[in-house]
Amino acid sequence: HDLLIDEVSKKIHDKKILNLIIIFIVIFLLFILTKPKYNYPKEFKLNVIHVGAAEEHEKMDINTGGFCWVACLTMLLKQYDANIEYWMVHNFREASTRFNFFYATTEGNKLLADSDAGGTKSVLLAAKNLGYTPHLRIRNPTLVYLLTWKRYGEAWQIKNWIKFANELGVDVDTFIIPPWDLVKHLISSGIPVQVDDSSCFHDNHVIEGYDKENIYIIVPDPEFFNLENAKKKCKLMPLYGLRFIWLTKDGERKSDEEILSSLRWRASLAVLNIRHFVELLKQGKKIYEFDSGRFSVLRKSAYYYFKERGLEEVAFLYNKSAELFKQLHLSFSSKEAEKHKEK
């Protein structure tokens, strides 16, 4: 009886695998038959201006990492306008006056107070607000779900990015096989591409060139990954690539009044969230992802923005806030906030 059950189970399992293989073959054939054709030379290389988040933070006299996606976006923007600065992007992604953090609930979950539009969302929002049209190509979430052994969270995150892109009104589409022909076409048209997880590097970086076998990339902060140079080349492996972002200069820039209004609103929320943060510490709650170094960078970016617009008193306060967060960053680890309640 047990042998019969095992045999039936094996047949069902084998049939599922066969059906899955058939589905992938059909999808692959459909992709090949419907794949758009792009023209591009055999090799092409831009000379994109390197921007490193750590270098920008050093200019602010803040010793912290992070924000690689902001550095990559700044590189894309400088291809159109060399005067755009890293700190501007933090303001146009409407984050420089935020205060947000993860904390634990009694059920053991993590909740985010005033979610920062980080990563992909941040890039899309900042580019849109600066007057550019961001274009997003991202791996099909169903495929991610299947290929990552049902890691639902990653597929859900991709769906969330797509939803945000649609709400923002930007160009977004999914792919099964990464669109490297499109990437080469864009680069040969003078448009660099931000990518996550290529065969060269498994974090955010910018592609500035290609030849028959290789791609040429720029890593924002090579020192964090034991790389000697920010620019490197490696073999192109066509199946690599999670998401691709590029910009076109055909949008409408948000006015200073609109950006200031958003930053004021975020600042009012920040006051409430700081009070909430202190109360949670008093209750003995565990705090996650409270990164005072990054907050120092955000406040310094706000300082530059307000100072440039002649709002000297507001700029002074945000500069003071940046210094306070910097001192917190120097005093203890960002992931040990609950151990330092008195501070």
Side-chain angles (χ1 to χ4, degrees), residues 258-271:
E258 290 174 301
I259 295 299
L260 286 169
S261 176
S262 177
L263 294 180
R264 280 194 294 268
W265 179 60
R266 292 296 177 195
S268 65
L269 287 179
V271 173

